[in-house]
Structure formats: structure tokens, C-alpha cells
Amino acid sequence: IGTSYLNRVFDPNDNPDNVFFSSRLSFLGFVAPRLEYRFSEKWALESSLTFNHISNGGLQQPNKGMNYLILGLGINHYLNYTEFPEFEKEQFSKEWAFYLELAGHTSYSETAMRRKPSFSVFSEALRPINRIQGIGAGVEMVLDFSLPVEASRAEAFMPAPFLAHHFLFGKVDFSQVMALYTLKPVGYNDYAFYQRYILRYQILSSLHLGVSLKAHGHIAESMDVRLGWKF
């Protein structure tokens, strides 16, 4: 995960067809699994498949973003050959854990002509399945003040049950969430589901900070900051 600087972005007069990017500073996320076959001490064959995504996280519109794949094939030469040490596998806890998070961000309101806040409460039950992975389920409840409503602000209340997968690396937790809207405002969007990608860092034994990206399909909608407690 990182940042990217784009020199050609959307402009209503000079570049109206570029609906992919509207801000020069955007976010880059990619995942690149690699497979290596070593046929001698210093030589190996390698293949990789990289999935890349660039967008501004919904901070500015239009923001369809861009996704693309890279297939890599190569040969590696190692100047020094090193034997990897062998360790005995340590036992890990398979006990359920529970997350409770508060999150917030701002979005541009077309009716108010300015940015307004959006808040969510995120609760999840998580169970590790091995040393670096876990699965979870829970519900996220969002109240978005930037969305237009007809009679009551309660129309912008959006509860969504979800399933999640976690990559667990010590104090770092990267999770991918698939959530189903059970309620949402009329005309909000055409998607019944949304994805959320969450990066957390444990700052105390139970307290963590995080950021997340919400997307509908390939279109990023918003980024938020999170403060949570693990029980």
C-alpha cells in the first residue's frame, strides 16, 4: 500500500473524459503472490501475478480508479547461498476474539455543497484458522450525514452484516470484508454489496488504530480512520 502522483487528471474543460482520476495524489494498493523454483544453489525460476489498484479513495470525484494485472516471469541469481534455519512450530490460539470499532470520515454533500461527516460502528467475531489467517463475521452500522434524505436522517442509517478474512502478521492485521446492505437510502447506489479493506495496527494489548477503504465493485467510495478494542 502506498501513494502515487498522477500528472493527467480530470478537468471539466481540458480533460473531461478522464473519469478514472480526479486528484493528483492518489493511493496505490497491490498484491503480488510469487512462486519460485530453485534448480541450483544460486539459480531459480520465478513467476508472479500482481493485481494493482489506483484511486483517491473517494476523496474527490470522479473516481472510478484503475485496476490492472501484471504477469511476471523471470530468473533469479543469488550471489550468496544461505540455508534457511528450521524452527519448531509454535502452538497458536484458536479462541474467538471480538472487535468493536468506531470509524469516521467526511464526504461531499451535493445538497449542502460542503463536506459532512459519516460515522460507523463495526463489530466482529474473529477466529484464527492458522498462524497468519483468520475468518470473521459481524455487522457494520453506518450513519452518513452527507446523503440526501426525504424526511428523517434515519433514512441514511445503513446496517450491513458481513463476512471477513484476515491476514495476521504480529501487530498488523489486514482484513477484507464483504458486506450486504439490509437498509440504504433510495437512490444511494445500485449495489447490494460493498467491500471494505481494513489495515489495523495494535498500539496496546487490546487497543488498535486503523484505516479502511470502502468500495462498490471496482469503484472506491471513501476512506476512513478507525479506533477499536479487541476483547
Side-chain angles (χ1 to χ4, degrees):
I1 298 175
T3 58
S4 63
Y5 181 81
L6 308 170
N7 64 340
R8 297 182 64 185
V9 297
F10 172 81
D11 184 276
N13 299 316
D14 299 331
N15 196 8
D17 296 329
N18 183 4
V19 295
F20 295 102
F21 310 117
S22 58
S23 60
R24 296 190 182 277
L25 185 64
S26 290
F27 301 96
L28 168 67
F30 68 91
V31 58
R34 299 169 183 263
L35 180 65
E36 184 183 74
Y37 174 73
R38 182 171 290 191
F39 56 87
S40 72
E41 288 188 354
K42 295 187 176 182
W43 292 93
L45 297 174
E46 181 184 274
S47 63
S48 64
L49 179 66
T50 306
F51 175 79
N52 299 268
H53 173 77
I54 301 176
S55 75
N56 65 32
L59 298 177
Q60 193 170 336
Q61 298 295 331
N63 179 51
K64 286 187 174 294
M66 183 176 288
N67 303 312
Y68 58 96
L69 294 172
I70 298 176
L71 176 64
L73 298 172
I75 185 168
N76 297 333
H77 176 65
Y78 294 90
L79 299 179
N80 297 302
Y81 176 74
T82 302
E83 287 279 358
F84 287 102
E86 294 186 2
F87 300 95
E88 292 186 5
K89 291 184 177 180
E90 297 180 358
Q91 296 295 322
F92 69 97
S93 174
K94 294 184 178 181
E95 294 183 357
W96 287 88
F98 300 92
Y99 281 107
L100 182 63
E101 290 181 341
L102 300 177
H105 72 277
T106 60
S107 297
Y108 185 77
S109 171
E110 298 290 345
T111 54
M113 301 295 289
R114 60 186 179 89
R115 302 188 72 87
K116 286 200 167 185
S118 174
F119 302 102
S120 69
V121 177
F122 185 96
S123 59
E124 179 188 4
L126 164 69
R127 185 180 189 272
I129 56 176
N130 56 39
R131 290 167 182 78
I132 63 169
Q133 294 184 90
I135 55 174
V139 62
E140 181 173 38
M141 295 174 287
V142 179
L143 183 60
D144 194 334
F145 288 86
S146 69
L147 298 178
V149 294
E150 295 181 357
S152 169
R153 180 49 54 187
E155 298 171 29
F157 176 65
M158 296 178 284
F162 64 82
L163 297 175
H165 172 265
H166 294 252
F167 284 118
L168 305 169
F169 305 106
K171 293 185 177 182
V172 177
D173 178 346
F174 174 60
S175 59
Q176 312 88 52
V177 174
M178 179 64 74
L180 171 67
Y181 287 111
T182 55
L183 290 173
K184 60 179 180 177
V186 176
Y188 171 46
N189 62 62
D190 296 329
Y191 287 85
F193 292 87
Y194 68 87
Q195 313 99 262
R196 191 177 290 283
Y197 306 95
I198 307 173
L199 184 64
R200 301 180 178 94
Y201 182 77
Q202 178 185 327
I203 56 176
L204 295 175
S205 59
S206 298
L207 186 68
H208 60 263
L209 292 173
V211 295
S212 83
L213 172 68
K214 180 183 178 182
H216 296 99
H218 67 284
I219 301 175
E221 178 182 286
S222 60
M223 292 190 68
D224 65 23
V225 293
R226 300 178 158 248
L227 179 66
W229 189 268
K230 181 179 179 181
F231 297 89

